[in-house]
Amino acid sequence: MDKTTILNHLDESIENFKKDMALFSEDSSRPVTENDLYKLSVMVLNALGDVKKAFE
């Protein structure tokens, strides 16, 4: 896979992660729940999987 293709895949992964992060409000004062932490960990895991796929 060439560098341009890898960079395009990584850009797509970043955009997907940004969309996922929109679930969490930046200015929220609400306490974090275990469910919130679970959702965040799944988002990070999916993003890491996307990064791995970019290099395959």
Side-chain angles (χ1 to χ4, degrees), residues 24 30-41:
F24 299 103
R30 180 178 66 82
V32 175
T33 66
E34 284 186 33
N35 189 40
D36 293 333
L37 294 174
Y38 174 78
K39 287 178 186 177
L40 180 60
S41 66

Side-chain angles (χ1 to χ4, degrees), residues 7 10-11 13 23-24 26-27 31 36 43-44 47-48 50 55:
L7 291 174
L10 292 174
D11 285 341
S13 297
L23 295 172
F24 299 103
E26 185 176 333
D27 60 350
D36 293 333
M43 287 182 223
V44 171
L48 289 172
D50 287 345
F55 290 96

Side-chain angles (χ1 to χ4, degrees), residues 11-30:
D11 285 341
E12 185 178 320
S13 297
I14 290 167
E15 289 306 312
N16 289 338
F17 191 75
K18 285 180 181 178
K19 289 175 190 173
D20 288 344
M21 289 302 298
L23 295 172
F24 299 103
S25 175
E26 185 176 333
D27 60 350
S28 175
S29 61
R30 180 178 66 82

